[in-house]
Amino acid sequence: MSSSIRGSRSEPIRTARARAHADVRGEIIATARAHLAAAGASGLSLRAVARELGMVSSAVYRYVASRDELLTALIIEAYDTLGQRAEDAVARTAGSPPLDRWIEAARAIREWANERPHEYALLYGTPVPGYAAPPDTVAPGTRVSIALVAVVRDAASAGLLHRNAAEAALPASSATHEALARLRDVGDLDAGDDVLFGVLLAWTQLFGLLSFELFGQTRGLVEDHAAFFDDAALAMASRIGL
Amino acid sequence: MSSSIRGSRSEPIRTARARAHADVRGEIIATARAHLAAAGASGLSLRAVARELGMVSSAVYRYVASRDELLTALIIEAYDTLGQRAEDAVARTAGSPPLDRWIEAARAIREWANERPHEYALLYGTPVPGYAAPPDTVAPGTRVSIALVAVVRDAASAGLLHRNAAEAALPASSATHEALARLRDVGDLDAGDDVLFGVLLAWTQLFGLLSFELFGQTRGLVEDHAAFFDDAALAMASRIGL
DNA sequence: TGTACATCAGTGAACGCGCGTTCACTGATGTAC
DNA sequence: TGTACATCAGTGAACGCGCGTTCACTGATGTAC
């Protein structure tokens, strides 16, 4: 098959057409992202996106296989930008005291969430009914957590983790012990259960805080979310031993 | 106005008609609740509910003013059952050690959430686009948190709060200090900033954990969510001083 | 450099479906005298 | 106890709107020789 000669290369040459195609697909995704705000994920409409771009609705199918595929693209993009921001914060602060790095990473996450609250909701809010995220979303989804864990890993291997004074609340169940072992594995984290338990708690705490902030659960109680978030991030870090 | 004579009483006599009316409204709400699971809050459809009840769609308007009013009814009912469960746990364990009460209350919340995940999502997940919860939902919404706080209040007034050994992570910002003052007020809680900060952290942690569990964020890491939740609840309690 | 052909982008109509809400209406059930 | 009237439950049709997806088609843009 002569046509496979071109196809078998790793596509180094992008024709003008291919480039234009990628561009339009990008515009479609960007427009869809903007539409999330108004209608939410379950209200996301291919027709509305097409309308806004001045195309007829059927034309969108040249660029996107279905509504669900569009949703998947949005999710992956969101996870990637969030992960990137967290990774940047961690890389930027290499060499700084672990506590500073932790706070910076947490802040980067919060900033992203406040800039793109509807994408935050897409990732960490109610699952979209009838939509099952495909496996390709898993890897991008772990980037944030891995970035956070990296701070702890660096601190641990540099011997900068100070043992927590009050070890009162160590996990008791073997099930939790196993979960921590898994975290130790995927996070390549050579630390004790106390540290790992703190990491897991911090992780859930951090996103719990953000969900409360963005979904309006703390209205009337917490006014300055940024300040409270900082204080909370500090408390998490101290629990971990940073 | 002669008709006001009946109307001005506090409605002690419910006519058969009024009773039937309330019954049907209850069926509508119950059916809507069941529909949440399949379509989610934003996909909740008056027509689908009517269909399931064997009525024509316009008949529903005898019982419910609009789709949004139905949503509001669902939210209030959900908050109330959740609040009731937490209050029951707290009342049932009166006299027990504060730590036991805390764990029982937390477990009650988790059990409710696992029994009614879609109602949990309605309350603590992504806000429904285009829907603004009316003020009547606020009071029922605070019942859970008040029940949790009551455990701490009882422990404090009985002198059963042990001072936390590691006070490392006290909130630093005045903004957080103010938030804690508000919590002290609404929770009628005579305790120091360290305790109140712990309560606020525990509150966000608890729901952060549940959201991760129910929305599938901990898939592949935590397997036995009940056990992990217990361990986490214990850690929260120890931070508070219970 | 020029021509023949293949590929792709975008159109427009259609299918079949769903939704919330309004309105004039029929019958049944209550209420007042 | 019986009758006249008011109230309410539920019907069925309609309005105006939206959606995802398919399909046969027209033109433009690329590619191979």
Side-chain angles (χ1 to χ4, degrees):
Chain A
M1 300 166 193
S2 62
S3 73
S4 75
I5 292 175
R6 198 163 47 92
S8 64
R9 305 195 203 168
S10 53
E11 311 282 356
I13 300 164
R14 296 259 305 267
T15 63
R17 230 183 212 168
R19 211 169 333 202
H21 188 97
D23 282 358
V24 175
R25 187 178 149 97
E27 280 176 49
I28 288 172
I29 293 175
T31 307
R33 191 178 351 144
H35 269 72
L36 271 186
S42 57
L44 180 64
S45 147
L46 278 191
R47 290 187 105 112
V49 169
R51 222 177 293 131
E52 179 140 336
L53 286 172
M55 329 171 90
V56 94
S57 70
S58 52
V60 177
Y61 285 84
R62 291 267 166 214
Y63 303 93
V64 137
S66 67
R67 203 196 83 114
D68 279 8
E69 202 237 352
L70 179 56
L71 255 186
T72 301
L74 283 174
I75 290 175
I76 291 176
E77 212 213 43
Y79 270 134
D80 272 332
T81 56
L82 169 59
Q84 190 65 52
R85 290 277 278 269
E87 287 166 9
D88 285 353
V90 171
R92 185 183 351 113
T93 54
S96 302
L99 183 59
D100 294 359
R101 302 184 77 194
W102 173 268
I103 301 279
E104 284 303 309
R107 276 186 183 157
I109 294 170
R110 179 173 177 271
E111 269 157 29
W112 180 88
N114 272 278
E115 281 167 27
R116 309 168 89 151
H118 300 97
E119 285 168 87
Y120 177 89
L122 181 62
L123 303 183
Y124 296 101
T126 312
V128 182
Y131 169 82
D136 355 356
T137 60
V138 172
T142 55
R143 286 178 65 180
V144 215
S145 349
I146 289 178
L148 279 173
V149 166
V151 172
V152 182
R153 187 192 322 119
D154 290 355
S157 65
L160 290 174
L161 277 185
H162 29 83
R163 200 154 194 77
N164 208 319
E167 300 207 30
L170 267 179
S173 75
S174 60
T176 299
H177 186 75
E178 283 163 28
L180 297 181
R182 273 189 289 274
L183 176 59
R184 190 177 287 116
D185 250 37
V186 300
D188 187 24
L189 194 48
D190 184 24
D193 268 16
D194 54 339
V195 170
L196 286 159
F197 190 46
V199 169
L200 219 47
L201 289 181
W203 183 45
T204 58
Q205 170 106 62
L206 199 151
F207 285 92
L209 220 46
L210 288 181
S211 291
F212 266 28
E213 173 180 352
L214 293 170
F215 300 163
Q217 223 74 34
T218 41
R219 214 173 305 148
L221 198 57
V222 177
E223 306 230 303
D224 185 342
H225 281 97
F228 183 70
F229 184 85
D230 273 3
D231 284 331
L234 212 87
M236 301 172 213
S238 127
R239 218 234 162 268
I240 296 174
L242 290 173
Chain B
M1 301 166 193
S2 62
S3 73
S4 75
I5 291 174
R6 200 167 44 94
S8 65
R9 305 193 203 169
S10 53
E11 312 283 354
I13 300 164
R14 297 260 304 265
T15 63
R17 229 184 213 169
R19 212 169 332 202
H21 188 96
D23 282 359
V24 176
R25 187 179 150 96
E27 281 177 48
I28 288 172
I29 293 175
T31 308
R33 191 176 352 141
H35 269 72
L36 270 187
S42 57
L44 179 65
S45 148
L46 279 189
R47 289 188 107 113
V49 170
R51 221 177 292 131
E52 181 140 337
L53 287 170
M55 327 170 91
V56 93
S57 69
S58 52
V60 178
Y61 285 84
R62 291 267 166 217
Y63 303 92
V64 137
S66 66
R67 203 196 83 115
D68 278 8
E69 203 237 351
L70 179 57
L71 254 187
T72 300
L74 284 173
I75 290 174
I76 289 176
E77 212 213 45
Y79 270 134
D80 272 333
T81 57
L82 169 59
Q84 190 67 52
R85 289 276 277 272
E87 287 166 11
D88 286 353
V90 171
R92 186 183 350 112
T93 55
S96 301
L99 183 60
D100 293 359
R101 303 184 76 196
W102 173 268
I103 300 280
E104 283 303 309
R107 276 186 182 157
I109 295 171
R110 178 173 178 273
E111 269 158 28
W112 180 90
N114 271 279
E115 281 168 24
R116 308 168 89 151
H118 299 96
E119 286 168 86
Y120 177 88
L122 181 61
L123 303 183
Y124 296 101
T126 312
V128 183
Y131 169 83
D136 355 356
T137 59
V138 173
T142 56
R143 286 178 64 179
V144 216
S145 350
I146 289 178
L148 279 174
V149 166
V151 172
V152 183
R153 188 194 318 121
D154 290 355
S157 64
L160 290 175
L161 277 185
H162 30 81
R163 199 154 196 76
N164 207 318
E167 300 207 31
L170 267 179
S173 76
S174 59
T176 299
H177 187 74
E178 283 162 28
L180 297 181
R182 273 188 289 275
L183 175 59
R184 190 177 286 116
D185 249 39
V186 302
D188 187 24
L189 194 47
D190 184 24
D193 269 15
D194 54 338
V195 171
L196 287 159
F197 190 47
V199 169
L200 220 47
L201 288 182
W203 183 45
T204 57
Q205 170 107 64
L206 199 150
F207 284 92
L209 221 45
L210 288 181
S211 292
F212 266 27
E213 173 179 353
L214 293 170
F215 300 162
Q217 223 74 35
T218 41
R219 214 172 306 144
L221 197 57
V222 177
E223 306 231 302
D224 185 341
H225 280 98
F228 183 70
F229 183 85
D230 273 4
D231 283 330
L234 212 86
M236 300 173 213
S238 127
R239 216 235 162 264
I240 295 175
L242 289 171

